[in-house]
Amino acid sequence: MFRSIPKWSVFIFDIFSVISVAHNRWQKMYSMLLIISCVYVFYATPHIVCILENNCDNSLSTVIKGMFARLVALTCMISRCAIFLKGKTQMVMYKKNVDDFHVFTPMTSSETDRLEKMSSWAILCCILLTVPVNVCRLWILYYVAKQTVPFVALVYIQNFSMYCIETHFTVLCYILYQKIVGINNDLMALKIDTIVRNKYPFVSLTGEKYGKNDSTIEYNREVFQSLIAGHPMIDFLENLKAKHKLVSQAVKNLNNTFGIHLGLSLCALCLYTLFDLYYHLQEVWKHSKYKILVYGWILQYFVRFLLITVLAHLTTKQALKSKILITDINNRYLDNNTKEELYN
């Protein structure tokens, strides 16, 4: 799937895969250690809050101060268990469907370049938005309460692990987005061909004129030229149907693998933001002097939320566009065999 991407980018992505959903002995060991750390953080939180506050009155404010760490630990543990149980089979099926798709239509150099840039930027954002602010916070804690540094470091590792899984999902989702866009370009070529064949002299809904194609319209020009040359449309439809089936199966595999994690992440990111704003406005961690870092954490949560929702929305939008194009082609004059192929 990434054979055409430079080695350094593949190496970094492989590291993220081990942290997220890759299934090998390192990932299994990492998952076990991460789950153990989540259990430890969940039960050790009240003690750490007492150390930071020099107060163990078990009041409501003390409970609220520890909710952030416990929320991170709980969501990370549930997410890791779900990924570990579902990822092994579903990711193998996802990769198989994508590889089978490449048998029909290999990735072009432009698609490979866009995938490389997107994955590189996603990984870079993950590192820059988490490592600097967390290291600064640990540095501050080292001079204030050294005994709490290992605990807080575990919380940050758990949060970083969640972000790595989201980054992995983003890259895999973008791959499917590229595939669906390619299918839509093929469908657009079929639609333009039906317009030309029906000899409409007027401007169509796609902006195409009879005998003259608008270069701003996205469509597969090779398919269009082949159809104009007399290649049967039904052959292209069979190819498209096979590719669409593979993409649909890959989408299901991706949803089954990351569905629980993404649901937890979206809810947790909203709660993380509320907790950080509450701690900041109430000056909860007075002696940690982390106020200048709260904006970095909120920026991280915003970017994570944006990447998940926007890319998923764009992919869904392209899938709906496929449905619209198929309906539009089917409503035009076509032979019965072609209509049956479109219907199926």
Side-chain angles (χ1 to χ4, degrees):
M1 191 165 21
F2 297 99
R3 60 177 64 92
S4 301
I5 299 179
K7 293 182 179 180
W8 68 268
S9 184
V10 175
F11 175 74
I12 295 176
F13 190 81
D14 285 343
I15 294 176
F16 271 66
S17 298
V18 170
I19 297 175
S20 55
V21 297
H23 274 264
N24 51 50
R25 61 176 182 175
W26 299 111
Q27 196 268 352
K28 293 178 181 178
M29 185 183 302
Y30 174 79
S31 296
M32 291 179 61
L33 293 174
L34 190 66
I35 292 173
I36 293 172
S37 72
C38 291
V39 175
Y40 167 75
V41 167
F42 190 86
Y43 285 102
T45 296
H47 175 66
I48 298 299
V49 172
C50 291
I51 295 175
L52 289 172
E53 289 297 298
N54 296 318
N55 185 12
C56 292
D57 56 3
N58 293 322
S59 63
L60 180 60
S61 62
T62 303
V63 175
I64 293 176
K65 292 170 187 176
M67 286 183 68
F68 178 87
R70 284 188 161 183
L71 178 63
V72 173
L74 185 62
T75 53
C76 181
M77 183 173 65
I78 297 174
S79 169
R80 177 56 54 172
C81 291
I83 291 291
F84 188 79
L85 293 174
K86 291 189 174 184
K88 185 175 183 179
T89 56
Q90 294 297 326
M91 285 309 300
V92 170
M93 295 171 63
Y94 171 90
K95 292 178 181 178
K96 182 180 183 304
N97 288 323
V98 172
D99 289 339
D100 290 344
F101 186 98
H102 290 159
V103 173
F104 289 98
T105 306
M107 291 184 68
T108 63
S109 58
S110 60
E111 288 178 334
T112 302
D113 290 340
R114 286 194 292 268
L115 176 59
E116 177 199 345
K117 291 177 181 178
M118 186 273 168
S119 58
S120 299
W121 276 109
I123 292 173
L124 188 62
C125 283
C126 178
I127 295 173
L128 292 180
L129 290 175
T130 53
V131 175
V133 291
N134 293 342
V135 169
C136 289
R137 175 70 191 284
L138 292 174
W139 183 262
I140 294 172
L141 281 177
Y142 180 78
Y143 290 99
V144 176
K146 294 182 181 180
Q147 63 271 40
T148 65
V149 170
F151 173 88
V152 177
L154 287 176
V155 175
Y156 290 159
I157 290 172
Q158 293 161 12
N159 185 50
F160 183 71
S161 176
M162 294 282 286
Y163 196 176
C164 289
I165 295 176
E166 293 160 19
T167 303
H168 197 170
F169 165 80
T170 301
V171 176
L172 297 180
C173 185
Y174 184 76
I175 293 172
L176 296 184
Y177 170 80
Q178 287 184 314
K179 308 309 177 192
I180 298 175
V181 168
I183 290 175
N184 287 341
N185 290 341
D186 292 346
L187 287 172
M188 184 64 75
L190 296 180
K191 179 178 177 178
I192 295 171
D193 178 70
T194 59
I195 295 171
V196 173
R197 290 179 185 275
N198 294 336
K199 298 182 179 180
Y200 288 164
F202 310 105
V203 178
S204 71
L205 295 176
T206 64
E208 297 291 329
K209 296 182 180 178
Y210 171 69
K212 182 179 180 181
N213 299 324
D214 189 349
S215 60
T216 62
I217 300 296
E218 289 292 334
Y219 66 94
N220 191 324
R221 286 162 174 77
E222 293 182 3
V223 171
F224 178 69
Q225 293 298 330
S226 298
L227 290 170
I228 292 298
H231 199 286
M233 181 183 288
I234 194 169
D235 292 346
F236 288 104
L237 288 175
E238 290 177 354
N239 181 279
L240 279 175
K241 186 169 71 172
K243 293 194 296 184
H244 188 271
K245 182 179 180 180
L246 291 171
V247 170
S248 298
Q249 291 173 345
V251 170
K252 291 180 181 178
N253 299 145
L254 206 61
N255 288 336
N256 291 334
T257 304
F258 294 96
I260 295 176
H261 171 86
L262 295 178
L264 288 172
S265 288
L266 293 176
C267 294
L269 289 173
C270 296
L271 293 175
Y272 293 166
T273 304
L274 291 177
F275 281 131
D276 277 344
L277 289 174
Y278 172 80
Y279 296 157
H280 176 62
L281 295 176
Q282 297 296 322
E283 298 183 348
V284 169
W285 306 123
K286 297 177 183 178
H287 51 286
S288 66
K289 299 178 182 179
Y290 84 110
K291 296 179 182 179
I292 60 175
L293 303 178
V294 70
Y295 302 108
W297 285 318
I298 292 176
L299 176 63
Q300 176 201 146
Y301 306 148
F302 176 75
V303 172
R304 289 167 63 178
F305 191 94
L306 204 64
L307 281 177
I308 295 172
T309 55
V310 170
L311 188 56
H313 170 72
L314 292 176
T315 305
T316 303
K317 190 175 180 180
Q318 287 295 324
L320 291 175
K321 183 178 178 181
S322 299
K323 182 179 179 180
I324 294 172
L325 287 171
I326 291 173
T327 303
D328 196 4
I329 295 172
N330 191 48
N331 288 337
R332 298 182 183 276
Y333 175 76
L334 295 171
D335 59 90
N336 292 332
N337 291 334
T338 304
K339 281 184 173 289
E340 183 178 355
E341 197 70 29
L342 278 172
Y343 180 77
N344 294 329

